[in-house]
Amino acid sequence: AQSVTQLDSQVPVFEEAPVELRCNYSSSVSVYLFWYVQYPNQGLQLLLKYLSGSTLVKGINGFEAEFNKSQTSFHLRKPSVHISDTAEYFCAVTPMNRDDKIIFGKGTRLHILP
Amino acid sequence: GAGVSQSPRYKVAKRGQDVALRCDPISGHVSLFWYQQALGQGPEFLTYFQNEAQLDKSGLPSDRFFAERPEGSVSTLKIQRTQQEDSAVYLCASSPGQGAVEAFFGQGTRLTVV
C-alpha cells in the first residue's frame, strides 16, 4: 500500500518570495509522483509529474519538484510566488507499471501575503 | 467534450434522500475514477472502472454507495439514504489508458446533505 504525507497544512508566504511545499511518501514498490493544484471551487489540475529520468521535474506556472528516492520525498518549489498561486496543493502517488489508482496527501494551503 | 464533465455541480439533499451524480469522461478514455473530498481534506479514492468493468470498489464507504458504467463511457455514482457525513465534493477522473498516470479531473459535484 502507498501513503502520502504533506507535513504542512498551511504555508503563508509573502508575494515574490520563494516557497517550498513538502511531500514524503511511503511505498513497498516504486511509484510515479504527482503534484496537483486546486483553486477554490475547482477540480484538480496537474502541475507536474515524475515518471522516470531526471529527478528535477519542471511543471506549469513556474513550479518544479525534485524526487529524492533515498529520502522518499518529492518537494515542490517556486522561486517567486504570485497572488494567483493562492490555492490548495496536493501531492500524490501511484504504483509504477501497475494498473492502479492515485493516492493523495491531505493537501497544503498556500496563502500568499501582499 | 473537451474535458471531464460532472453534473450537477451542486446538489442539496435532505437526509435520507437518494442522489445520483453523473460523470462524462473524455471521449475514448478507458479508465474512470471516483473520489470523495471532504472539506479541508485530500481526495479519497472510491472506485475505479476500466471500460464497463468495475475493477476496484474498495474505497466505497458503505453499501449505500453504488457506481456503474454500463456502456464503458458515462458513469453514475449513486448514494442511497444520504447522511450528513456524505456531504463532500465528489470528483471524477478519466484517463486514456489503464491506470491513473494520465488522469484528467472534472470540476466535481458538491453534495450537501441537510
Side-chain angles (χ1 to χ4, degrees), chain B residues 83-105:
Chain B
Q83 300 177 6
Q84 280 196 313
E85 60 263 31
D86 300 333
S87 295
V89 175
Y90 290 85
L91 295 167
C92 176
S94 71
S95 68
Q98 299 174 355
V101 175
E102 302 289 338
F104 293 85
F105 282 80

mmCIF file of all heavy atoms in Angstrom, chain B residues 83-105:
data_model
loop_
_atom_site.group_PDB
_atom_site.id
_atom_site.type_symbol
_atom_site.label_atom_id
_atom_site.label_comp_id
_atom_site.label_asym_id
_atom_site.label_seq_id
_atom_site.Cartn_x
_atom_site.Cartn_y
_atom_site.Cartn_z
ATOM 1 N N GLN B 83 -26.708 10.615 4.281
ATOM 2 C CA GLN B 83 -26.487 11.041 5.660
ATOM 3 C C GLN B 83 -25.582 12.267 5.640
ATOM 4 O O GLN B 83 -24.907 12.535 4.644
ATOM 5 C CB GLN B 83 -25.857 9.893 6.460
ATOM 6 C CG GLN B 83 -26.727 8.649 6.487
ATOM 7 C CD GLN B 83 -26.072 7.488 7.210
ATOM 8 O OE1 GLN B 83 -25.006 7.613 7.789
ATOM 9 N NE2 GLN B 83 -26.744 6.347 7.165
ATOM 10 N N GLN B 84 -25.555 12.979 6.761
ATOM 11 C CA GLN B 84 -24.788 14.220 6.803
ATOM 12 C C GLN B 84 -23.312 13.993 6.502
ATOM 13 O O GLN B 84 -22.675 14.840 5.869
ATOM 14 C CB GLN B 84 -24.960 14.919 8.153
ATOM 15 C CG GLN B 84 -26.257 15.705 8.247
ATOM 16 C CD GLN B 84 -26.256 16.682 9.400
ATOM 17 O OE1 GLN B 84 -25.896 16.346 10.520
ATOM 18 N NE2 GLN B 84 -26.677 17.909 9.126
ATOM 19 N N GLU B 85 -22.781 12.865 6.924
ATOM 20 C CA GLU B 85 -21.359 12.610 6.689
ATOM 21 C C GLU B 85 -21.049 12.365 5.209
ATOM 22 O O GLU B 85 -19.869 12.280 4.827
ATOM 23 C CB GLU B 85 -20.855 11.427 7.523
ATOM 24 C CG GLU B 85 -21.550 10.127 7.262
ATOM 25 C CD GLU B 85 -22.646 9.850 8.276
ATOM 26 O OE1 GLU B 85 -23.254 10.812 8.777
ATOM 27 O OE2 GLU B 85 -22.881 8.655 8.544
ATOM 28 N N ASP B 86 -22.080 12.239 4.372
ATOM 29 C CA ASP B 86 -21.852 12.094 2.930
ATOM 30 C C ASP B 86 -21.577 13.441 2.268
ATOM 31 O O ASP B 86 -21.194 13.485 1.091
ATOM 32 C CB ASP B 86 -23.063 11.453 2.245
ATOM 33 C CG ASP B 86 -23.383 10.072 2.794
ATOM 34 O OD1 ASP B 86 -22.449 9.402 3.293
ATOM 35 O OD2 ASP B 86 -24.555 9.662 2.721
ATOM 36 N N SER B 87 -21.787 14.539 2.997
ATOM 37 C CA SER B 87 -21.524 15.871 2.443
ATOM 38 C C SER B 87 -20.054 15.997 2.088
ATOM 39 O O SER B 87 -19.170 15.805 2.931
ATOM 40 C CB SER B 87 -21.898 16.962 3.460
ATOM 41 O OG SER B 87 -23.273 16.960 3.710
ATOM 42 N N ALA B 88 -19.778 16.286 0.823
ATOM 43 C CA ALA B 88 -18.413 16.344 0.308
ATOM 44 C C ALA B 88 -18.463 16.771 -1.150
ATOM 45 O O ALA B 88 -19.542 16.891 -1.742
ATOM 46 C CB ALA B 88 -17.731 14.971 0.414
ATOM 47 N N VAL B 89 -17.283 16.973 -1.721
ATOM 48 C CA VAL B 89 -17.174 17.135 -3.175
ATOM 49 C C VAL B 89 -16.817 15.781 -3.757
ATOM 50 O O VAL B 89 -15.894 15.103 -3.270
ATOM 51 C CB VAL B 89 -16.107 18.175 -3.548
ATOM 52 C CG1 VAL B 89 -15.922 18.224 -5.058
ATOM 53 C CG2 VAL B 89 -16.503 19.558 -3.019
ATOM 54 N N TYR B 90 -17.540 15.370 -4.784
ATOM 55 C CA TYR B 90 -17.274 14.100 -5.445
ATOM 56 C C TYR B 90 -16.610 14.405 -6.789
ATOM 57 O O TYR B 90 -17.178 15.081 -7.650
ATOM 58 C CB TYR B 90 -18.569 13.305 -5.604
ATOM 59 C CG TYR B 90 -19.059 12.821 -4.260
ATOM 60 C CD1 TYR B 90 -19.837 13.644 -3.446
ATOM 61 C CD2 TYR B 90 -18.686 11.577 -3.772
ATOM 62 C CE1 TYR B 90 -20.245 13.227 -2.192
ATOM 63 C CE2 TYR B 90 -19.094 11.146 -2.513
ATOM 64 C CZ TYR B 90 -19.870 11.976 -1.729
ATOM 65 O OH TYR B 90 -20.254 11.557 -0.472
ATOM 66 N N LEU B 91 -15.388 13.909 -6.920
ATOM 67 C CA LEU B 91 -14.578 14.168 -8.106
ATOM 68 C C LEU B 91 -14.528 12.934 -8.994
ATOM 69 O O LEU B 91 -14.411 11.809 -8.500
ATOM 70 C CB LEU B 91 -13.148 14.539 -7.706
ATOM 71 C CG LEU B 91 -12.967 15.843 -6.929
ATOM 72 C CD1 LEU B 91 -11.581 15.913 -6.324
ATOM 73 C CD2 LEU B 91 -13.198 17.037 -7.839
ATOM 74 N N CYS B 92 -14.599 13.166 -10.273
ATOM 75 C CA CYS B 92 -14.459 12.103 -11.260
ATOM 76 C C CYS B 92 -13.215 12.398 -12.098
ATOM 77 O O CYS B 92 -12.893 13.558 -12.379
ATOM 78 C CB CYS B 92 -15.690 12.055 -12.157
ATOM 79 S SG CYS B 92 -15.614 10.861 -13.505
ATOM 80 N N ALA B 93 -12.505 11.343 -12.478
ATOM 81 C CA ALA B 93 -11.330 11.495 -13.346
ATOM 82 C C ALA B 93 -11.360 10.404 -14.402
ATOM 83 O O ALA B 93 -11.858 9.304 -14.157
ATOM 84 C CB ALA B 93 -10.038 11.396 -12.535
ATOM 85 N N SER B 94 -10.808 10.715 -15.577
ATOM 86 C CA SER B 94 -10.679 9.689 -16.610
ATOM 87 C C SER B 94 -9.273 9.728 -17.179
ATOM 88 O O SER B 94 -8.595 10.756 -17.123
ATOM 89 C CB SER B 94 -11.719 9.879 -17.718
ATOM 90 O OG SER B 94 -11.442 11.017 -18.512
ATOM 91 N N SER B 95 -8.836 8.589 -17.702
ATOM 92 C CA SER B 95 -7.525 8.521 -18.332
ATOM 93 C C SER B 95 -7.605 7.646 -19.581
ATOM 94 O O SER B 95 -8.441 6.743 -19.643
ATOM 95 C CB SER B 95 -6.462 7.993 -17.371
ATOM 96 O OG SER B 95 -6.672 6.649 -17.068
ATOM 97 N N PRO B 96 -6.734 7.919 -20.558
ATOM 98 C CA PRO B 96 -6.860 7.229 -21.845
ATOM 99 C C PRO B 96 -6.472 5.754 -21.801
ATOM 100 O O PRO B 96 -6.938 4.961 -22.616
ATOM 101 C CB PRO B 96 -5.918 8.012 -22.756
ATOM 102 C CG PRO B 96 -4.967 8.697 -21.847
ATOM 103 C CD PRO B 96 -5.702 8.955 -20.576
ATOM 104 N N GLY B 97 -5.592 5.384 -20.866
ATOM 105 C CA GLY B 97 -5.146 4.002 -20.779
ATOM 106 C C GLY B 97 -5.524 3.380 -19.463
ATOM 107 O O GLY B 97 -6.381 3.883 -18.741
ATOM 108 N N GLN B 98 -4.828 2.294 -19.162
ATOM 109 C CA GLN B 98 -5.072 1.634 -17.888
ATOM 110 C C GLN B 98 -4.396 2.412 -16.765
ATOM 111 O O GLN B 98 -3.303 2.934 -16.944
ATOM 112 C CB GLN B 98 -4.527 0.206 -17.943
ATOM 113 C CG GLN B 98 -5.201 -0.640 -19.009
ATOM 114 C CD GLN B 98 -4.554 -2.013 -19.162
ATOM 115 O OE1 GLN B 98 -3.542 -2.285 -18.521
ATOM 116 N NE2 GLN B 98 -5.126 -2.852 -19.986
ATOM 117 N N GLY B 99 -5.027 2.474 -15.637
ATOM 118 C CA GLY B 99 -4.441 3.191 -14.517
ATOM 119 C C GLY B 99 -4.648 4.680 -14.599
ATOM 120 O O GLY B 99 -5.359 5.201 -15.464
ATOM 121 N N ALA B 100 -3.980 5.400 -13.675
ATOM 122 C CA ALA B 100 -4.280 6.815 -13.473
ATOM 123 C C ALA B 100 -3.139 7.761 -13.838
ATOM 124 O O ALA B 100 -3.192 8.941 -13.503
ATOM 125 C CB ALA B 100 -4.645 7.028 -12.008
ATOM 126 N N VAL B 101 -2.138 7.281 -14.536
ATOM 127 C CA VAL B 101 -0.965 8.108 -14.805
ATOM 128 C C VAL B 101 -1.313 9.347 -15.625
ATOM 129 O O VAL B 101 -0.758 10.416 -15.422
ATOM 130 C CB VAL B 101 0.131 7.290 -15.508
ATOM 131 C CG1 VAL B 101 1.304 8.178 -15.898
ATOM 132 C CG2 VAL B 101 0.612 6.173 -14.606
ATOM 133 N N GLU B 102 -2.253 9.228 -16.527
ATOM 134 C CA GLU B 102 -2.607 10.361 -17.396
ATOM 135 C C GLU B 102 -4.005 10.873 -17.078
ATOM 136 O O GLU B 102 -4.740 11.299 -17.950
ATOM 137 C CB GLU B 102 -2.560 9.922 -18.872
ATOM 138 C CG GLU B 102 -1.224 9.379 -19.339
ATOM 139 C CD GLU B 102 -0.174 10.463 -19.444
ATOM 140 O OE1 GLU B 102 -0.547 11.646 -19.567
ATOM 141 O OE2 GLU B 102 1.023 10.126 -19.401
ATOM 142 N N ALA B 103 -4.381 10.853 -15.809
ATOM 143 C CA ALA B 103 -5.756 11.194 -15.426
ATOM 144 C C ALA B 103 -6.050 12.680 -15.529
ATOM 145 O O ALA B 103 -5.220 13.528 -15.218
ATOM 146 C CB ALA B 103 -6.017 10.718 -13.998
ATOM 147 N N PHE B 104 -7.264 12.986 -15.972
ATOM 148 C CA PHE B 104 -7.791 14.344 -16.011
ATOM 149 C C PHE B 104 -9.021 14.375 -15.095
ATOM 150 O O PHE B 104 -9.863 13.484 -15.160
ATOM 151 C CB PHE B 104 -8.212 14.731 -17.428
ATOM 152 C CG PHE B 104 -7.066 14.852 -18.381
ATOM 153 C CD1 PHE B 104 -6.576 13.732 -19.034
ATOM 154 C CD2 PHE B 104 -6.473 16.076 -18.637
ATOM 155 C CE1 PHE B 104 -5.518 13.822 -19.930
ATOM 156 C CE2 PHE B 104 -5.418 16.184 -19.521
ATOM 157 C CZ PHE B 104 -4.933 15.049 -20.169
ATOM 158 N N PHE B 105 -9.108 15.432 -14.294
ATOM 159 C CA PHE B 105 -10.190 15.520 -13.329
ATOM 160 C C PHE B 105 -11.281 16.480 -13.782
ATOM 161 O O PHE B 105 -11.002 17.500 -14.431
ATOM 162 C CB PHE B 105 -9.650 15.993 -11.972
ATOM 163 C CG PHE B 105 -8.968 14.915 -11.191
ATOM 164 C CD1 PHE B 105 -7.660 14.545 -11.468
ATOM 165 C CD2 PHE B 105 -9.648 14.236 -10.183
ATOM 166 C CE1 PHE B 105 -7.036 13.540 -10.763
ATOM 167 C CE2 PHE B 105 -9.035 13.229 -9.472
ATOM 168 C CZ PHE B 105 -7.729 12.869 -9.763
#
